[in-house]
Amino acid sequence: GAGVSQSPSNKVTEKGKDVELRCDPISGHTALYWYRQSLGQGLEFLIYFQGNSAPDKSGLPSDRFSAERTGGSVSTLTIQRTQQEDSAVYLCASSLEGGSYTEAFFGQGTRLTVV
Amino acid sequence: AQSVTQLGSHVSVSEGALVLLRCNYSSSVPPYLFWYVQYPNQGLQLLLKYTSAATLVKGINGFEAEFKKSETSFHLTKPSAHMSDAAEYFCAVSEDQGGKLIFGQGTELSVKP
C-alpha cells in the first residue's frame, strides 16, 4: 500500500477484555515498530521486528502485551485483560530495513480507550 | 542510557517570526537524531535527521537543525513561521543499529496570525 495502515482507527473496550490491533506496513519494508503515545508517558517504544530475527521486546510494559508478525508483513499487537492505564494511541511504523539511518514511516495510529 | 529533553511543552510564535524548538539529548555513543512532526489526528512525519554526515541538517518545509556535540543539543529552527506549521514536534534519539527511537515529550507549536 501507499503507507502504513492501522486498524481499527478507534477501539473502545471494557476493562478486562482482550484487544488486537493490526498494522499493515509498507510493502517491502523489513522492519516494523510499535510505539504507544499517552498523555502521561509521551511516545514509548514497545517492540521491534526486523526480518527473521528475534524481536526486540524490551519496551513491552507487562506480560499482558504481546505482538507477532506473520510472514514478515502484517503485525498484530495483543493486549490481554486490558486496564484503564492501557488507554493510549498505539502507533505502528515500518522502514525499508532496520537501522537508525533508515526513515521510519508511521501509521495514523489506533486510539484505544478502556472503560 | 539514552534520553531526550525538549524544553517547553508549548511554544507560541507570531506568523513570520522565528521558530526555535529546543532539544537536548543524552547518549553514550555518537547518536542518530531526528525531528518528527505530528499534525492533529495524523501519524508522525519525519522532518529531518542527523546521521553524522553534516552538523547542519536541512529538512522539509523550511526547517533545519544543528547538531552541537559540545552542548548535546539538536535544536529545530525555521526563519519564518507559517500558520500551517502549527503542530506537535518530537525530537528523538537512536544509538543502536536497531533503529529504536527514544522520543522527547513533545513541543506543541502554536502560530498566531
Side-chain angles (χ1 to χ4, degrees), chain B residues 37 39 45 47 59-64 78-80 82 84-85 89:
Chain B
V37 61
Y39 297 102
Q45 180 182 4
L47 272 179
I60 61 171
N61 302 337
F63 285 93
E64 63 182 36
K78 181 174 180 177
S80 176
H82 294 169
S84 60
D85 294 328
Y89 292 79

Side-chain angles (χ1 to χ4, degrees), chain A residues 30-107:
Chain A
T30 64
L32 187 147
Y33 310 80
W34 284 98
Y35 292 86
R36 178 170 71 174
Q37 185 174 22
S38 56
L39 279 176
Q41 302 297 323
L43 270 160
E44 305 170 274
F45 165 79
L46 296 177
I47 189 168
Y48 160 57
F49 296 89
Q50 170 54 42
N52 295 321
S53 303
D56 176 353
K57 304 180 182 180
S58 60
L60 294 179
S62 77
D63 58 8
R64 295 187 295 105
F65 287 73
S66 63
E68 62 179 25
R69 188 178 185 192
T70 54
S73 181
V74 172
S75 176
T76 303
L77 177 68
T78 301
I79 308 173
Q80 296 178 309
R81 305 181 301 282
T82 52
Q83 304 295 313
Q84 288 187 329
E85 60 263 28
D86 299 334
S87 296
V89 176
Y90 290 83
L91 293 169
C92 177
S94 70
S95 62
L96 190 58
E97 55 188 70
S100 301
Y101 43 87
T102 55
E103 179 179 352
F105 293 84
F106 283 78

Side-chain angles (χ1 to χ4, degrees), chain B residues 30-67:
Chain B
Y32 296 98
L33 294 159
F34 306 80
W35 275 99
Y36 281 85
V37 61
Q38 186 177 34
Y39 297 102
N41 300 312
Q42 295 189 26
L44 277 74
Q45 180 182 4
L46 180 68
L47 272 179
L48 49 80
K49 64 181 178 183
Y50 167 75
T51 58
S52 79
T55 57
L56 182 62
V57 182
K58 294 187 183 298
I60 61 171
N61 302 337
F63 285 93
E64 63 182 36
E66 185 173 9
F67 172 69

Side-chain angles (χ1 to χ4, degrees), chain A residues 8-19:
Chain A
S9 55
N10 282 283
K11 176 73 176 178
V12 179
T13 189
E14 292 181 352
K15 178 181 173 180
K17 300 280 190 183
D18 297 352
V19 294

Side-chain angles (χ1 to χ4, degrees), chain B:
Chain B
Q2 318 163 64
S3 67
V4 176
T5 302
Q6 291 184 240
L7 289 176
S9 59
H10 191 106
V11 170
S12 182
V13 301
S14 297
E15 192 173 19
L18 171 71
V19 176
L20 171 59
L21 304 182
R22 299 179 186 275
C23 172
N24 288 88
Y25 69 91
S26 172
S27 176
S28 58
V29 299
Y32 296 98
L33 294 159
F34 306 80
W35 275 99
Y36 281 85
V37 61
Q38 186 177 34
Y39 297 102
N41 300 312
Q42 295 189 26
L44 277 74
Q45 180 182 4
L46 180 68
L47 272 179
L48 49 80
K49 64 181 178 183
Y50 167 75
T51 58
S52 79
T55 57
L56 182 62
V57 182
K58 294 187 183 298
I60 61 171
N61 302 337
F63 285 93
E64 63 182 36
E66 185 173 9
F67 172 69
K68 291 187 177 180
K69 183 177 179 180
S70 61
E71 298 178 8
T72 60
S73 68
F74 191 57
H75 302 330
L76 181 71
T77 60
K78 181 174 180 177
S80 176
H82 294 169
M83 298 297 291
S84 60
D85 294 328
E88 188 151 21
Y89 292 79
F90 293 92
C91 182
V93 65
S94 177
E95 63 180 31
D96 63 34
Q97 289 304 305
K100 177 175 70 180
L101 295 169
I102 306 299
F103 286 91
Q105 290 295 309
T107 298
E108 185 177 354
L109 175 66
S110 300
V111 182
K112 300 174 293 186

